[in-house]
């Protein structure tokens, strides 16, 4: 077994067995912390990039934290050619990726999602649409906010927005956190 995953071949980005990069069903990066063993289920942290970004950028941002905190890190590239993505299509794609990761590595049934900017809006929608798959959501500098679904009221949300973010986003964050 390579780094605790199944014996399937992987493309490595570094001399060690992880991170893995996959291109099916779409490009995503999977990082196993140095302490990973397949004897237990590990927390799954999913990082979603902003508009025009990529899964690789999220991997670089969160990789050190994955080792320090002990979680499996999944960073998909969900953007289309224009740099954005459709909420429904992105949700369906992410669900496929999560199923694939669960075939390869032992992770807990619910994942924590963190998204930046447009990715923050995406993780809100994913948490609202798929609350049974989500342990928590970090919304980082989103400009827009969805109305929470009734079923998602049990999902914890962390909302972070900077004082230099778009003033509309700051107002929207305040409205969202007061729901």
């Amino acid at each position: 077994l390579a780094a605790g995953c199944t014996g399937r071949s992987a493309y490595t980005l570094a001399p060690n067995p992880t991170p893995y990069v996959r291109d099916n069903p779409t490009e995503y990066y999977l990082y196993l912390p140095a302490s990973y063993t397949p004897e237990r289920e590990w927390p799954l942290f999913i990082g979603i990039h902003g508009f025009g970004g990529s899964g690789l950028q999220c991997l670089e941002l969160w990789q050190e934290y994955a080792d320090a905190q002990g979680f499996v890190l999944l960073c998909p590239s969900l953007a289309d050619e224009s740099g954005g993505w459709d909420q429904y299509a992105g949700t369906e794609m992410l669900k496929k990726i999560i199923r694939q990761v669960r075939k390869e590595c032992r992770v807990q049934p619910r994942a924590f999602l963190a998204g930046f900017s447009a990715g923050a809006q995406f993780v809100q929608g994913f948490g609202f649409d798929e609350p049974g798959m989500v342990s928590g959501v970090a919304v980082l500098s989103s400009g827009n906010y969805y109305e929470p679904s009734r079923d998602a009221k049990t999902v914890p949300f962390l909302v972070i927005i900077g004082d230099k973010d778009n003033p509309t986003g700051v107002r929207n964050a305040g409205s969202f956190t007061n729901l």
Side-chain angles (χ1 to χ4, degrees):
L1 294 179
C5 288
T6 62
R8 297 180 185 157
S9 63
Y11 303 100
T12 60
L13 299 177
N16 65 345
T18 70
Y20 298 106
V21 61
R22 300 278 198 265
D23 58 9
N24 187 15
T26 192
E27 178 184 83
Y28 67 91
Y29 297 84
L30 178 64
Y31 180 75
L32 305 177
S35 59
Y36 180 88
T37 63
E39 282 76 40
R40 69 175 181 98
E41 288 183 337
W42 287 74
L44 178 61
F45 182 108
I46 301 171
I48 304 295
H49 58 84
F51 183 86
S54 72
L56 182 58
Q57 291 169 325
C58 277
L59 173 76
E60 292 167 350
L61 175 67
W62 297 110
Q63 185 174 350
E64 186 177 323
Y65 188 60
D67 274 323
Q69 299 300 316
F71 57 78
V72 170
L73 175 60
L74 170 62
C75 298
S77 296
L78 294 179
D80 59 24
E81 298 81 38
S82 70
W85 57 83
D86 173 77
Q87 182 71 45
Y88 175 77
T91 295
E92 292 306 306
M93 183 61 65
L94 183 55
K95 288 171 22 181
K96 287 179 186 176
I97 294 168
I98 292 169
R99 283 193 296 273
Q100 182 65 31
V101 167
R102 287 188 175 138
K103 289 178 186 175
E104 297 182 22
C105 300
R106 291 201 57 202
V107 294
Q108 295 173 353
R110 294 170 53 143
F112 183 87
L113 284 83
F116 177 75
S117 191
Q121 185 173 346
F122 174 80
V123 297
Q124 292 171 56
F126 191 91
F128 296 155
D129 293 341
E130 303 294 337
M133 296 180 71
V134 177
S135 62
V137 176
V139 178
L140 310 172
S141 293
S142 183
N144 298 303
Y145 295 84
Y146 293 121
E147 182 76 25
S149 67
R150 191 176 50 169
D151 294 337
K153 295 280 186 179
T154 61
V155 176
F157 278 79
L158 170 67
V159 177
I160 298 176
I161 192 152
D163 59 0
K164 297 199 191 272
D165 278 320
N166 180 310
T168 301
V170 174
R171 280 191 306 279
N172 291 344
S175 297
F176 177 79
T177 58
N178 289 324
L179 292 175

